[in-house]
Amino acid sequence: MTKLSVNINKIATLRNSRGGDTPNVVKAAIDVQKFGGDGVTVHPRPDERHIRYQDVIDIHPHITTEFNIEGYPSKEFMDLVLKVKPNQVTLVPDPPEALTSNAGWDTVNNLTFLQDVIGKFSDAGIRTSIFIDTDLENINNAVKTNTDRIELYTEPYAANYAKNKEQAIAPFVEAANLANKIGLKINAGHDLNLENLKYFKERIPFLKEVSIGHALISDAIYIGLERTIHMYKELLIK
């Protein structure tokens, strides 16, 4: 079964909007796992506008499933990851001012950089995944970075799903098949939700993990976190 890693950044966004410690992100991480989530994802950014670096350190001792830390591999980020040693680090090419992740890595022009970064994480025993779009050249070159996995950037799929789901999924199936053929395991994330997740999973049955935050936390406002996690997990059972 494809694993569901719940991104709790939006819990931290709500907390930060008021100050204080409500809602508590450590409790959120504990509850995500208690309610059936297969992992917890956090994405600390340099301005700490949602998850803070200290949050990552505070959450880590409470992880009983899998911990996935996303981010751009700046020195500060790398130092944090090497200190915490999560199960997985997902590398994104976001500039500091980016509102959210909006593109995958250019693995051709960033090959040496990625090889160096991934080498350091691999030496520390941390599984690596790199955020990537469906460009076949980038996927072919991703294997040269020595990453363990790729995470398909699924915003284009989500944006076009309602118009024509067959056309929307086609490049992702092609990209996933290529990645699978060359030995890369596949994660996916960005704008996956209760409407479009099942079809994505059906067309890419060997999908290892999805990371979902914004839609899932938004759904939880109306139907509760535990029920929401169960609903998402049901869509991942083939």
Side-chain angles (χ1 to χ4, degrees):
M1 192 184 87
T2 301
K3 291 184 176 181
L4 171 66
S5 187
V6 178
N7 187 319
I8 60 171
N9 275 21
K10 286 300 186 291
I11 301 290
T13 302
L14 183 58
R15 175 201 61 189
N16 295 352
S17 70
R18 186 70 179 264
D21 198 31
T22 302
N24 183 278
V25 294
V26 172
K27 184 178 186 304
I30 293 169
D31 287 344
V32 159
Q33 297 170 100
K34 182 171 69 175
F35 297 154
D38 302 300
V40 175
T41 292
V42 293
H43 187 154
R45 285 189 162 87
D47 61 6
E48 298 191 318
R49 63 181 179 268
H50 32 64
I51 287 290
R52 300 167 182 156
Y53 276 41
Q54 186 60 46
D55 291 331
V56 178
I57 295 168
D58 292 343
I59 289 167
H60 181 239
H62 301 276
I63 298 296
T64 58
T65 54
E66 285 203 348
F67 199 22
N68 173 45
I69 304 178
E70 296 182 350
Y72 179 82
S74 64
K75 181 183 183 304
E76 293 77 14
F77 177 84
M78 291 182 67
D79 287 346
L80 175 69
V81 172
L82 291 170
K83 178 179 180 178
V84 172
K85 292 190 177 177
N87 304 93
Q88 178 175 267
V89 57
T90 300
L91 305 177
V92 298
D94 296 353
E97 70 276 5
L99 180 63
T100 185
S101 301
N102 56 20
W105 283 100
D106 177 342
T107 59
V108 176
N109 292 318
N110 293 287
L111 178 60
T112 303
F113 174 68
L114 288 170
Q115 285 174 333
D116 181 59
V117 169
I118 289 168
K120 289 181 171 65
F121 290 139
S122 296
D123 288 346
I126 303 167
R127 185 174 74 230
T128 58
S129 178
I130 60 173
F131 204 57
I132 201 164
D133 57 27
T134 56
D135 181 89
L136 299 183
E137 184 179 12
N138 278 328
I139 290 176
N140 251 323
N141 225 53
V143 76
K144 300 177 186 177
T145 69
N146 301 313
T147 189
D148 300 293
R149 299 185 181 186
I150 59 170
E151 178 174 330
L152 291 171
Y153 166 52
T154 52
E155 183 181 13
Y157 163 73
N160 293 296
Y161 176 83
K163 302 172 190 175
N164 188 320
K165 65 182 183 180
E166 291 84 3
Q167 287 184 9
I169 196 66
F172 290 88
V173 172
E174 185 178 18
N177 284 338
L178 173 60
N180 192 48
K181 180 180 178 181
I182 62 179
L184 291 170
K185 292 183 172 62
I186 301 160
N187 297 342
H190 206 93
D191 288 351
L192 295 173
N193 57 36
L194 289 173
E195 180 183 1
N196 61 40
L197 179 59
K198 182 176 177 61
Y199 184 67
F200 192 89
K201 162 63 178 173
E202 288 174 346
R203 295 299 306 274
I204 305 175
F206 42 82
L207 187 65
K208 298 294 289 184
E209 174 187 295
V210 292
S211 174
I212 305 178
H214 183 84
L216 190 151
I217 299 302
S218 298
D219 290 332
I221 292 172
Y222 294 98
I223 56 181
L225 183 60
E226 182 171 10
R227 176 165 163 71
T228 300
I229 289 173
H230 290 171
M231 291 172 70
Y232 273 86
K233 287 197 69 174
E234 286 171 7
L235 298 178
L236 295 172
I237 300 172
K238 188 166 176 64

